[in-house]
Structure formats: C-alpha cells, structure tokens
Amino acid sequence: MVDVHGVHKTFGPLEVLRGVDLKVREGEVTVILGPSGSGKSTLLRTINHLEKVDRGWISVDGELIGYRRSGNKLHELKEKEVAKQRTNIGFVFQNFHLFPHLTVLENLVEAPVAALRRPRRQAEETARRLLARVGLADKADVYPRRLSGGQQQRVAIARALALEPKVLLFDEPTSALDPELVGEVLDVIKDLAGTGTTMIVVTHEIGFAREVADSVVFMDGGVVVEQGPPADVLDNPRQERTRAFLSKVL
Ligand code: ADP
Ligand code: MG
C-alpha cells in the first residue's frame, strides 16, 4: 500500500532523511520509533507531499506521490492534483489541528464536501457514524475548545476517516495529551487496527507498539536502522542503536 524507496531529504546543510526504504502492506499497522530529530515527522510529511523529496520516490496504492511519469521523465503534479492524492492519505497530528471556528460535525463534513464533492446530507450521515465510532456521538454540535485533548484527538481521527483514506498517518498522536487521556486515543487507534485500516504510527508508546503493530521500524539519524515484528525489534533487537534507545524508553 505504501512504498518508500531510497528517500533523501535535506534542509539546507542538514540531511534529515538519508535513504529511507519502507514498505507497508495493506491492512497492516507499522509503528515508527526513534529518538527526537531522527526524521520521523519529515518521513510522514514526505508521504503526503507536505515535503518534497530530493531523491527517491514514494507510492501509495501504486500511485506515485507528487509526480507523474511520462516515458522516463518525472513531472511534478499541480497543487490541485496533489490535493486529490492527499485525500487518500489521512494525517493525524500531535496537536489535533481541528478547525476552531467549526463545530465537531462541521469539522468532519468540510473536506468530504469540498474535496470529494459529497452531498452534504450524506457527508453528515457519515460524520455522525464516525463520531459514534470514536465515542463522541453526543459532541456533534460542540466547538473543539469545549473538548478535552483526548476528545479533540478522537475528533481529528474521525475527521481523517471521513475522507475514506487508503492509509492513515499518525504523528505522535498522544504526545500532547495528559497521561490519563492517552488510553482513550490509543483505544480508538487499536479499534481501527482491528478493522484492517492501513496505518503508520509514530509514537513513543512501546506497549501500544507491542500490542498493535504488525511491524516496528526503528529510525535513527535519517535511516531505518531496523525493522521487523514487534517481538524481534522490541524484545530481541539486532542493532546496538536500537538496544540503546529501548533501554532509555522502556
Ligand atoms: P523527529 O520527528 O524524528 O523528531 P523531524 O523529522 O521533525 O524529526 O526532524 C528531523 C530534523 O530535521 C531535525 O533536526 C529538525 O530540526 C529538522 N527539520 C525538520 N523540519 C525542518 C524544516 N522545515 N526546516 C529545517 N529543518 C527542519
Ligand atoms: Mg516528530
């Protein structure tokens, strides 16, 4: 479903991604671990073309992201075409990023109507079903500021799902939450994993990785150091760098 191939990304003199390869199969949950500054967020952002890669390529469901191939040349897609591709790639941020001036329901209805041209009635029906799924059926008409962080993040997840994405990307979805609110958000993500949603989750929640991930990726210094089933990477890491990191967070 997601294929990251030899991706390099530099910011000025700083080489943040130094040849990242990553494959995520349909229906699988991949958890990415790694120290701060290792390039995890940048990698997620390249997958939906919020950052342009300097070298390498990324495809989602067989479609090249940000470019079109003609013959052996690559042409960059127009912003409108990129926006279309992004509707296939849900993104959940650390800080929720809900629209503060829209109610919860409107937050979920906006993109399907504007980007996918769904009839509003249909988009609202879907939105209510998704809110029920994340346990917030009674919050449809509330503004985001009236919700706890955990509730806001559950709305953000429902909003991402409203576009029926082929893959969902989470960038430290629980890092901004008070500890007592982490569980309710992880439970929603767990529930999605059970329904076969393809997901890439950047998180420091090792317990979650152990329980939910099909594959765990350890990144450091802009490369994938190690990847495998949680039992291998978390309990029996082959690389010294992985061991050193885990000994600090476990
Ligand atoms: P992580 O998510 O693993 O903590 P990031 O991908 O956010 O790592 O960042 C990797 C490195 O790239 C950091 O050193 C960060 O400061 C730098 N970086 C990220 N985005 C930018 C940017 N837009 N401009 C310059 N430097 C950036
Ligand atoms: Mg980050």
Side-chain angles (χ1 to χ4, degrees):
M1 179 56 74
V2 180
D3 196 355
V4 176
H5 188 88
V7 161
H8 288 252
K9 177 70 189 175
T10 57
F11 293 112
L14 191 62
E15 195 173 15
V16 172
L17 300 178
R18 300 187 297 133
V20 173
D21 294 298
L22 181 67
K23 280 186 168 58
V24 177
R25 278 195 291 262
E26 184 169 3
E28 282 197 352
V29 180
T30 296
V31 166
I32 302 182
L33 306 173
S36 178
S38 57
K40 306 178 300 296
S41 295
T42 303
L43 175 62
L44 288 191
R45 289 166 59 79
T46 61
I47 293 175
N48 70 356
H49 209 58
L50 281 173
E51 301 288 355
K52 251 188 252 181
V53 307
D54 297 320
R55 252 197 296 155
W57 50 263
I58 295 168
S59 70
V60 172
D61 198 20
E63 200 178 316
L64 205 55
I65 296 300
Y67 298 90
R68 180 184 14 232
R69 219 184 287 278
S70 76
N72 52 14
K73 272 204 177 148
L74 286 185
H75 297 279
E76 199 173 353
L77 296 180
K78 298 197 183 74
E79 190 50 40
K80 210 173 160 184
E81 298 169 296
V82 174
K84 181 105 203 310
Q85 289 189 325
R86 285 201 187 110
T87 64
N88 289 321
I89 306 166
F91 209 117
V92 175
F93 301 89
Q94 187 173 333
N95 291 309
F96 331 132
H97 288 208
L98 295 175
F99 306 119
H101 59 291
L102 299 180
T103 66
V104 163
L105 189 79
E106 289 161 354
N107 263 276
L108 269 68
V109 165
E110 148 81 27
V113 169
L116 300 182
R117 307 200 167 283
R118 295 271 153 75
R120 183 166 291 272
R121 278 270 294 279
Q122 186 193 327
E124 284 184 9
E125 250 169 59
T126 305
R128 288 186 194 281
R129 183 171 51 75
L130 289 170
L131 286 176
R133 188 163 165 194
V134 300
L136 295 172
D138 57 335
K139 301 295 185 194
D141 301 319
V142 166
Y143 284 88
R145 67 175 176 280
R146 304 292 301 274
L147 301 176
S148 72
Q151 290 172 329
Q152 289 188 49
Q153 193 59 301
R154 283 146 66 197
V155 172
I157 293 169
R159 182 180 62 176
L161 289 170
L163 287 169
E164 295 168 32
K166 291 177 176 169
V167 56
L168 260 182
L169 311 178
F170 294 84
D171 195 358
E172 300 200 26
T174 61
S175 294
L177 299 175
D178 291 334
E180 74 273 21
L181 303 178
V182 168
E184 66 189 61
V185 171
L186 293 182
D187 283 346
V188 166
I189 302 174
K190 250 180 244 176
D191 177 57
L192 291 177
T195 65
T197 312
T198 309
M199 298 192 271
I200 302 178
V201 187
V202 172
T203 183
H204 298 296
E205 299 286 339
I206 305 291
F208 171 84
R210 199 186 299 281
E211 196 181 335
V212 179
D214 296 294
S215 180
V216 174
V217 171
F218 175 66
M219 274 184 80
D220 195 12
V223 294
V224 171
V225 172
E226 184 159 357
Q227 174 172 16
D232 293 355
V233 176
L234 299 176
D235 301 323
N236 223 341
R238 274 175 300 165
Q239 303 296 328
E240 181 50 41
R241 277 200 278 175
T242 315
R243 267 196 288 271
F245 174 78
L246 288 171
S247 73
K248 276 184 232 159
V249 297
L250 281 177

